[in-house]
Amino acid sequence: MKETWLRTDFENCLEKVKYKNKIHSKDFKPNGLFPIVSQEKDYISGYWDNSEDLFKVDAPVIIFGDHTRVIKYIDFSFVLGADGVKILKPKPSIHPKFLYYFLLNVDLGNLGYARHYRLLKEIEISYPNTLNKQQLIVNILDECFKAIDQAKANTERNLKNARELFDSYLQGVFERRGDDWHEKKLGEIFDVRDGTHESPKYINKGFPLVTSKNLKDHRLVLDPIKYISESDYININKRSKVDVGDVLFAMIGTIGNPVVVEDEPNYAIKNVALFKGNDNQSSNFLKYLLDSKLTKDKMIEDAKGTTQKFVGLGYLRSFPIFIPSLTKQQAIVSQLDALRTETKKLESSFLEKMTDLDELKKSILQKAFAGEISTDRAMTV
């Protein structure tokens, strides 16, 4: 730490804030004169037309979400949403954005609801002895993070393009079908079932019960999972036993996410459609068909329910599709698998770069508040 840096307890570096009436989320408006700031991810959560008798905050300040651990630097005036946000207004001797960057470097862990502010109150703030020196560090961090954020934006755009490349090709396969594709109903070529509609009693240890929530990114994810007894497992599997080669499909909530069962299953299913594999059709072709934009858009459009959308077993059995011969299905699957492998490599590379950029940001913050950044010259990223 630089010798010219001072130290003080967290609350000693803050002005006292008197909270007045705050606006509840149910009263937020889509537009208005005054922006509302809360713990939500976006800086502005809504708007309000009249700031009279409300808690109007003059910039710049830092806000801290005790539950969400969200830390934001706010450089515009706003009214405060009533969702547990703490206003952190530094004393004149501490630059607001310097304190914001300092807090980004604090590891808050995950203590649970409304406990993170207690941790903040226990920390010690270290800062240069003049506002000018603090401003120099802020300028360096602003410049570095601007470059990092631009690099992340470019990487996210490349990641999006890689995913859209595969989706576009997949859409074209089912839009430009040939004359040798025949129209059928799903129930005519597959044995279509669904899992239990009842809610069995959950236990601490037993057989996993897979629901729509366990189908993510075309994979079966068993964490988190709930467990049922052996008797419930046997009873459910009388209706819908899952075997290798079957296709699972989410029927409720986020409709879709088809998954081909590749490993011997030891679970039962609830609110999940089950397409039984057979020797006359390709399960992987069915997976791609169910995941195509044509199919997804149609099912989402037809889905029932208000709070939670769903498609029923009868609907799935009668759903019309076009399908070619098994030989052509297998050839299409081979092409799609090859393209999927290449796009996954690209996605993995871009995700790794984004992780590296996040780590670079953390490293720069750590050096800045260990007093290891020279303010005599500009840094480069």
Side-chain angles (χ1 to χ4, degrees), residues 235-271:
N235 287 333
I236 293 172
N237 279 352
K238 289 178 181 177
R239 168 191 177 93
S240 49
K241 184 179 183 302
V242 182
D243 295 300
V244 172
D246 293 348
V247 178
L248 303 177
F249 182 86
M251 302 172 67
I252 188 168
T254 303
I255 298 168
N257 277 322
V259 173
V260 177
V261 178
E262 297 179 344
D263 300 317
E264 193 64 40
N266 66 333
Y267 49 81
I269 57 175
K270 171 181 168 63
N271 294 330

Side-chain angles (χ1 to χ4, degrees), residues 148-263:
I148 291 174
D149 290 343
Q150 183 59 57
K152 282 192 69 175
N154 293 339
T155 304
E156 287 172 350
R157 185 163 52 250
N158 290 335
L159 176 62
K160 183 173 180 287
N161 290 340
R163 289 170 174 167
E164 288 180 347
L165 170 66
F166 179 80
D167 291 341
S168 176
Y169 186 85
L170 179 63
Q171 180 178 343
V173 167
F174 294 99
E175 282 184 341
R176 297 186 295 271
R177 56 181 180 268
D179 295 335
D180 55 341
W181 291 48
H182 303 288
E183 185 172 11
K184 298 284 185 179
K185 294 179 180 178
L186 275 174
E188 292 176 341
I189 53 178
F190 286 96
D191 177 2
V192 187
R193 310 178 190 179
D194 62 356
T196 181
H197 297 176
E198 300 177 357
S199 296
K201 181 180 179 180
Y202 297 119
I203 58 178
N204 292 331
K205 188 176 182 180
F207 290 87
L209 182 65
V210 168
T211 69
S212 294
K213 294 179 181 179
N214 297 112
L215 305 181
K216 299 177 182 179
D217 298 326
H218 312 105
R219 296 182 299 112
L220 181 60
V221 180
L222 299 182
D223 182 20
I225 194 73
K226 292 183 178 180
Y227 296 94
I228 58 176
S229 66
E230 183 177 8
S231 60
D232 283 336
Y233 168 77
I234 292 172
N235 287 333
I236 293 172
N237 279 352
K238 289 178 181 177
R239 168 191 177 93
S240 49
K241 184 179 183 302
V242 182
D243 295 300
V244 172
D246 293 348
V247 178
L248 303 177
F249 182 86
M251 302 172 67
I252 188 168
T254 303
I255 298 168
N257 277 322
V259 173
V260 177
V261 178
E262 297 179 344
D263 300 317

Side-chain angles (χ1 to χ4, degrees), residues 126-152:
S126 303
Y127 57 98
N129 59 356
T130 68
L131 283 172
N132 183 55
K133 292 177 181 178
Q134 295 173 36
Q135 181 68 66
L136 288 173
I137 291 176
V138 167
N139 291 345
I140 291 171
L141 293 177
D142 280 347
E143 183 180 351
C144 289
F145 292 167
K146 181 180 178 181
I148 291 174
D149 290 343
Q150 183 59 57
K152 282 192 69 175

Side-chain angles (χ1 to χ4, degrees), residues 39 64-70 83-86 109-117:
Q39 293 192 54
F64 175 68
D66 202 359
H67 174 48
T68 60
R69 293 171 290 161
V70 168
D83 65 349
V85 167
K86 297 284 192 302
N110 189 3
L111 302 178
Y113 185 78
R115 293 181 59 194
H116 300 99
Y117 190 70

